[in-house]
Amino acid sequence: MNWKKFFFAFLGAFVFLFVFGFLWYATLMHDAHREVPTLLRPEADLKSYFGWLALGQFVMAFFFTLLCARYVPSGRAGAGAMLGLLVGLVYAGPHLISFAVQPLTFKILFGWIAGAVIQFAIAGAIVGAIYKPANEHIMYVREPSH
Amino acid sequence: MKRFTIAFLAAYIFLFVWGWLINGVLLKDIYAESAHLWRPENEMRSLFHWIIIGQALIVFGFVMIYASGFAGGGMIAGIRLGLLLEIAAIGMCLGFYAVQPIPAKLIFYGSIGGIIEMVIVGAMVGAIYKPAPAGSSSQ
């Protein structure tokens, strides 16, 4: 594991997930979320829970980057995006389950699913582009001198 | 493809039973404390197919990731994949906790249940799915 590259890849993923989360879930989906006010904390309370949100994004970005780094065919942005897409599908599953047990609207369900798939595909591409696999399989052999 | 299907089915059956045990039995009282956050039981029953599709999507994505990047590592690689995916998902749950008035103990016990679940799913998939031998296209 190249920890220096890992650190920069994690940083890139964390910043992207944070900004995307704010734009997608807090801004674009703001009105959709307000259609189910009983499911959300009052806006005045949100600030006091911001630390949990930041910690959650940190944990998510760290372990997602670790997953990308461990992914065997991790060959740059394309493979990272493909892995991110699959991770987005895995996380879309719990959203469907949430829809069955919580009084969410279809608009929220589709917004969450699209958000998960898009954000992890892009985050995967970012991690893949920054954390390029080391060429461990390449061996340099000195040619015999004649 | 055959091993992929068997791994998917085995993991799906486990996930279904485990999900029922954790959410339908063990955490039932905690869910009852926050009844205003959940649909009434008859409504949940009418939307049960979404739970089945959601669980199938989780398992399908898991086996796809395992088959495309972790196969060959066996149970240990499967368990490692399960842990990484679940801990990242706990991060997502903390984000939900920040915006929804979900009881903290539900997040806590749900996360423990989730880790056990994904470790077992990973072990099952890792034990069942084996990569195709070189030159073969049967997997």
Side-chain angles (χ1 to χ4, degrees), chain B:
Chain B
M1 192 63 201
K2 191 179 161 192
R3 280 184 182 273
F4 184 99
T5 310
I6 296 170
F8 171 81
L9 282 175
Y12 180 78
I13 290 167
F14 166 74
L15 200 82
F16 188 85
V17 174
W18 183 260
W20 169 77
L21 187 68
I22 289 287
N23 298 297
V25 180
L26 294 175
L27 297 178
K28 201 174 178 182
D29 293 342
I30 302 178
Y31 279 109
E33 286 172 21
S34 52
H36 65 287
L37 292 175
W38 319 107
R39 290 186 193 274
E41 218 162 299
N42 59 330
E43 219 173 287
M44 280 189 203
R45 265 191 223 116
S46 69
L47 295 169
F48 194 72
H49 55 284
W50 289 105
I51 295 178
I52 292 174
I53 298 168
Q55 288 178 328
L57 202 58
I58 294 169
V59 178
F60 179 77
F62 188 101
V63 184
M64 281 292 286
I65 295 172
Y66 181 82
S68 64
F70 290 83
M75 283 173 71
I76 298 297
I79 290 170
R80 187 180 287 157
L81 172 62
L83 276 174
L84 290 173
L85 278 172
E86 184 56 31
I87 299 173
I90 290 172
M92 194 183 279
C93 288
L94 291 178
F96 277 111
Y97 174 68
V99 295
Q100 288 193 352
I102 300 170
K105 54 185 171 183
L106 188 60
I107 298 284
F108 180 74
Y109 292 121
S111 298
I112 292 173
I115 286 178
I116 296 169
E117 174 184 86
M118 287 311 242
V119 163
I120 296 174
V121 164
M124 288 173 87
V125 173
I128 297 169
Y129 186 87
K130 301 274 185 280
S136 161
S137 60
S138 62
Q139 297 276 341

Side-chain angles (χ1 to χ4, degrees), chain A residues 24-47:
Chain A
W24 189 273
Y25 300 105
T27 309
L28 274 175
M29 291 191 66
H30 181 269
D31 292 344
H33 285 145
R34 286 294 139 200
E35 285 174 21
V36 286
T38 52
L39 292 184
L40 299 173
R41 293 188 189 280
E43 297 231 13
D45 282 5
L46 289 177
K47 269 186 195 159

Side-chain angles (χ1 to χ4, degrees), chain A residues 32-138:
Chain A
H33 285 145
R34 286 294 139 200
E35 285 174 21
V36 286
T38 52
L39 292 184
L40 299 173
R41 293 188 189 280
E43 297 231 13
D45 282 5
L46 289 177
K47 269 186 195 159
S48 58
Y49 284 90
F50 186 77
W52 288 106
L53 185 72
L55 176 68
Q57 302 268 12
F58 183 92
V59 170
M60 199 163 68
F62 185 86
F63 285 93
F64 177 71
T65 309
L66 207 53
L67 177 64
C68 288
R70 298 260 182 213
Y71 190 65
V72 175
S74 52
R76 300 163 203 259
M82 183 49 80
L83 173 63
L85 200 75
L86 291 172
V87 170
L89 282 181
V90 171
Y91 293 152
H95 293 330
L96 288 170
I97 296 168
S98 291
F99 177 73
V101 298
Q102 286 195 297
L104 299 170
T105 62
F106 265 111
K107 211 190 289 180
I108 293 177
L109 173 66
F110 287 119
W112 283 3
I113 290 175
V117 172
I118 295 169
Q119 80 172 343
F120 282 107
I122 298 175
I126 292 170
V127 172
I130 299 172
Y131 191 91
K132 292 167 191 160
N135 294 326
E136 286 166 351
H137 60 285
I138 298 175

